[in-house]
């Protein structure tokens, strides 16, 4: 079975010639330049949409799909998520991970289960791992070597070393 990864959402149409405005969920706005096609769920199935052209306006990609030349052809795609096949993912450098691979991992300190990673806040300085503790509290851990000691996707764990005061 094919696996898909969400990389954006169509936020609106653009003009009358069949272009859409896309909010990019990846950390590289130029990501769409590398793709020949994207996928959109339509009528319960994933359908390929070949990319004819791309340009940018502020933080949005303006994408034109092949054979969609009129606003009426694409208007019903507003609010739809855009996906790629997992085979289209970039190869990441060592010690870097896709966010979707990290969500749900168990967070452990000195062999003690702290909670599960529920989200990753990405900013200009470093990612922040959002962990829901076993007690139901939210813990924010900067994704830096001083706190995150190891990540093992196979075992499903993130080993951390926290400082006093990080856990109440």
């Amino acid at each position: 079975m094919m696996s898909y990864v969400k990389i954006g959402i169509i936020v609106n149409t653009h003009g009358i010639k069949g272009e859409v405005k896309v909010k990019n969920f990846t950390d590289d706005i130029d990501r769409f330049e590398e793709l020949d096609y994207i996928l959109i769920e339509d009528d319960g199935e994933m359908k390929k949409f070949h990319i004819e052209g791309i340009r940018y306006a502020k933080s949005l990609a303006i994408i034109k799909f092949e054979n969609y030349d009129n606003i009426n052809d694409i208007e019903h795609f507003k609010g739809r998520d855009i996906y790629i096949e997992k085979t289209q993912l970039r190869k990441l450098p060592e010690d870097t991970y896709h966010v979707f691979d990290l969500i749900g991992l168990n967070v452990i300190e000195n062999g003690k289960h702290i909670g599960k990673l529920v989200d990753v806040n990405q900013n200009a300085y470093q990612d922040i791992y959002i962990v829901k503790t076993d007690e139901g509290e939210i813990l924010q851990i900067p994704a830096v070597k001083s706190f995150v000691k190891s990540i093992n996707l196979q075992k499903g764990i993130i080993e951390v070393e926290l400082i006093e005061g990080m856990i109440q």
Side-chain angles (χ1 to χ4, degrees):
M1 181 182 131
M2 186 65 63
S3 293
Y4 306 103
V5 177
K6 187 187 315 183
I7 63 164
I9 186 171
I10 297 174
V11 293
N12 210 341
T13 58
H14 183 81
I16 60 169
K17 297 185 177 177
E19 294 177 308
V20 293
K21 291 181 182 179
V22 174
K23 180 180 180 191
N24 183 13
F25 291 164
T26 70
D27 56 3
D28 182 3
I29 185 72
D30 297 331
R31 179 65 175 107
F32 295 104
E33 303 279 346
E34 304 167 11
L35 303 171
D36 294 325
Y37 64 91
I38 53 87
L39 298 134
I40 300 173
E41 190 173 345
D42 194 28
D43 294 329
E45 65 179 81
M46 288 292 192
K47 293 185 179 173
K48 277 187 186 178
F49 290 81
H50 291 272
I51 296 173
E52 185 176 298
I54 301 170
R55 55 197 174 93
Y56 302 94
K58 297 181 180 152
S59 62
L60 299 176
I62 311 275
I63 300 179
K64 170 81 174 72
F65 299 124
E66 288 179 8
N67 303 318
Y68 289 84
D69 301 319
N70 186 302
I71 189 173
N72 298 322
D73 298 337
I74 49 98
E75 198 158 24
H76 69 284
F77 291 123
K78 279 197 290 191
R80 301 265 182 102
D81 293 323
I82 289 181
Y83 298 86
I84 59 173
E85 296 167 352
K86 274 202 171 177
T87 57
Q88 293 172 288
L89 286 172
R90 288 178 172 163
K91 182 152 177 55
L92 294 177
E94 190 175 332
D95 291 332
T96 57
Y97 303 91
H98 293 286
V99 171
F100 62 85
D101 283 332
L102 299 175
I103 302 293
L105 293 185
N106 292 301
V107 179
I108 311 251
E109 182 180 33
N110 296 324
K112 180 181 180 268
H113 189 267
I114 293 172
K116 283 194 181 289
L117 186 84
V118 294
D119 200 1
V120 177
N121 286 345
Q122 297 174 297
N123 64 48
Y125 304 107
Q126 80 253 337
D127 292 348
I128 305 292
Y129 289 173
I130 308 300
V131 177
K132 186 171 187 179
T133 68
D134 294 338
E135 292 77 33
E137 295 180 24
I138 298 297
L139 178 64
Q140 296 186 32
I141 302 173
V144 294
K145 287 266 185 224
S146 54
F147 296 121
V148 178
K149 296 305 178 186
S150 70
I151 296 175
N152 187 321
L153 296 179
Q154 287 74 29
K155 290 182 179 178
I157 61 170
I158 298 173
E159 290 189 54
V160 297
E161 186 176 306
L162 305 179
I163 58 175
E164 194 172 326
M166 284 186 90
I167 297 181
Q168 304 305 333

